[in-house]
Structure formats: C-alpha cells, structure tokens
Amino acid sequence: GVAILSLGPRLAECLKAADMLAARGLPPTVADARFAKPFDTELVENLARNHAVLITIEEGSEGGFGSFFFSIYSTFLQRAYDQVMHDVVLQKLPVRFAIDRAGL
C-alpha cells in the first residue's frame, strides 16, 4: 500500500491527495508527524515496514524532513538486509537477492 507522511502545515493537502488516491482504488495511510523534533523513528519504521510506497510531504527546505527520513529508512533497510544475510550465511543457503525501492 501507500503511506503519506506529513510534516508541518501540509496535512490538509495530504488528506486531499489521500482522497484522490482512494478514488482510484489506492487508499493510503496518512500519518501526521506534526513536528520534526522529537522525531518518531518508530512511526517511520512502522510505515516503511508495512507499505510499498512512502511519500513525505513538507514545506520543501533543502536537507529537511525528507532527507532526515531517508537516513532513517536506509538504516532500516540496511538492518533488514544484514539480518537476512546473517540467516542465509548461517544456513549456507544458495540465495539471490533483489533490492529495489520497495525493499528486499
């Protein structure tokens, strides 16, 4: 599914976008981060874990919320990859991995 993560005064636009997506058969999850600090890493990890697409919406400052989110998400993906690799190596399994924007 699709998740939309809003920061700041953009929630109304996110809800409009959610309605548009739902009308096309893609009902998204909308989360309101409200404030950048303290950053809710549990929320971000939960959204990343349970959705194929995660969209962040903010005022658009360079190096802002989207950049910070990406650093959290890439860490999450790296931990998942490390855990899978560890399990495969322990069992000596012949496995091929494919990684794309949706994950492993």
Side-chain angles (χ1 to χ4, degrees), residues 4-23:
I4 301 172
L5 182 57
S6 171
L7 174 70
R10 297 291 181 200
L11 182 59
E13 289 92 345
C14 292
L15 294 173
K16 287 179 190 175
D19 290 340
M20 293 169 65
L21 287 169

Side-chain angles (χ1 to χ4, degrees), residues 5-7 33-45 48 54-77 79:
L5 182 57
S6 171
L7 174 70
R34 293 188 67 198
F35 305 103
K37 296 179 183 177
F39 191 72
D40 189 347
T41 56
E42 185 177 332
L43 170 66
V44 172
E45 286 189 3
L54 181 51
I55 302 166
T56 61
I57 306 296
E58 64 177 311
E59 288 291 293
S61 61
E62 187 174 326
F65 182 62
S67 297
F68 184 70
F69 161 77
F70 182 74
S71 70
I72 298 294
Y73 178 71
S74 63
T75 300
F76 172 76
L77 179 59
R79 285 195 318 260

